[in-house]
Amino acid sequence: GAVVSQHPSWVICKSGTSVKIECRSLDFQATTMFWYRQFPKQSLMLMATSNEGSKATYEQGVEKDKFLINHASLTLSTLTVTSAHPEDSSFYICSARVTSRLYEQYFGPGTRLTVT
Amino acid sequence: QQQVKQSPQSLIVQKGGISIINCAYENTAFDYFPWYQQFPGKGPALLIAIRPDVSEKKEGRFTISFNKSAKQFSLHIMDSQPGDSATYFCAASGGTGGFKTIFGAGTRLFVKA
C-alpha cells in the first residue's frame, strides 16, 4: 500500500515553454502533498506544501508564479513549471501524506526535467 | 534550530559488515524521526522510523538507536549487502514546523562485495 506515482518520469523541454508534472496517490487519499527539488548528490529541498482544495504554501525563495501547484483532488496534485529555463533542470519529487498517519510520507519515483 | 546534521557524507563497508550513519538535531519539539533510502534516479523510500518515546527500533537488518538527551539518532545496517548501496537520509518532523519534514544532507553508502 501507500503507492505514489509521478508522470512523466522524465521530460525534455525547450527554454520558455511550460511543463506539467502529475503526482498521484494510487491506493490512499492524501489531504497533503509535498513537492521537492533535488540537485545531483544533494538532499531534498522542499518547494511547497499542497493541501487539497486550498492554495499551496511555498517555501521561502521559491517563486510561486513560476512553480504553479494545484491540488484538485485527494489523489492528484500537479506542479507546472512555467517559462522553464535551463536552471530549472532538476529532479522533482512529490510525496503524499497518509491522512490517517499524519507523519508518514510516501514519495513518488521522481521526474527528471531537462530544459534545453 | 530546524537543521538535521547527518554524518558521514559517504561510507564504504565490506559485505557482511555493519553500516552506521549518525544524525543530530536541535529542535526538541521534533517527534518523528524517519530514515529514507534512495537509489539513483528514484524517489526516497521510507525505511524505518522512530518516535522519541523509545530508544531503539529494529526491523530486519535495520535498527534505529535514539538518544533523546543527546538529541541524536543513528541507523545501523547489520550484515550489509551490496544491494544496500544507496543514499540514506535521516529526517525529523513535528514541532513548530508542523508536519514538514526536515532532511539531513544524506550519506552515500557503498557496500563492497
Side-chain angles (χ1 to χ4, degrees):
Chain A
V3 179
V4 176
S5 71
Q6 273 183 249
H7 180 79
S9 55
W10 59 271
V11 58
I12 301 173
C13 70
K14 291 189 176 180
S15 188
T17 62
S18 296
V19 174
K20 180 185 282 188
I21 302 169
E22 291 187 350
C23 176
R24 292 181 185 273
S25 56
L26 297 185
D27 52 1
F28 65 100
Q29 292 186 332
T31 51
T32 304
M33 289 185 172
F34 304 88
W35 286 95
Y36 294 85
R37 185 173 181 177
Q38 187 178 36
F39 291 105
K41 298 182 183 180
Q42 291 192 25
S43 189
L44 289 82
M45 182 191 82
L46 179 64
M47 298 175 66
T49 301
S50 149
N51 289 295
E52 185 263 338
S54 61
K55 288 184 178 180
T57 302
Y58 291 82
E59 295 299 300
Q60 195 172 10
V62 177
E63 299 175 62
K64 60 182 180 181
D65 294 331
K66 181 165 190 62
F67 298 100
L68 300 179
I69 291 171
N70 183 279
H71 194 157
S73 75
L74 286 173
T75 59
L76 174 65
S77 176
T78 59
L79 167 68
T80 301
V81 183
T82 62
S83 186
H85 287 97
E87 57 265 30
D88 298 325
S89 299
S90 190
F91 193 50
Y92 292 88
I93 311 171
C94 72
S95 73
R97 195 173 72 203
V98 179
T99 304
S100 59
R101 299 198 293 272
L102 294 175
Y103 287 97
E104 294 180 12
Q105 282 188 55
Y106 294 89
F107 286 81
T111 296
R112 172 75 57 195
L113 169 63
T114 301
V115 184
T116 61
Chain B
Q1 262 229 326
Q2 287 290 89
Q3 274 191 315
V4 177
K5 294 183 180 179
Q6 183 172 348
S7 63
Q9 213 171 24
S10 62
L11 182 62
I12 300 174
V13 172
Q14 287 288 138
K15 179 182 174 183
I18 303 173
S19 303
I20 302 173
I21 305 171
N22 301 299
C23 283
Y25 63 97
E26 288 295 324
N27 189 346
T28 55
F30 285 140
D31 59 0
Y32 179 71
F33 302 88
W35 284 90
Y36 290 90
Q37 178 188 58
Q38 185 180 30
F39 292 103
K42 304 293 183 184
L46 179 63
L47 199 58
I48 187 173
I50 198 168
R51 291 290 185 96
D53 53 345
V54 297
S55 59
E56 185 175 282
K57 183 174 182 180
K58 184 176 181 179
E59 288 184 4
R61 296 185 294 111
F62 301 94
T63 300
I64 298 179
S65 295
F66 189 84
N67 186 328
K68 190 174 180 177
S69 60
K71 291 185 285 186
Q72 295 175 347
F73 59 110
S74 60
L75 175 70
H76 294 232
I77 306 175
M78 313 298 286
D79 187 25
S80 299
Q81 299 296 314
D84 296 330
S85 298
T87 299
Y88 292 82
F89 294 96
C90 64
S93 63
T96 55
F99 300 107
K100 191 185 301 185
T101 300
I102 309 298
F103 285 87
T107 296
R108 299 183 76 191
L109 171 66
F110 179 69
V111 181
K112 293 170 68 173

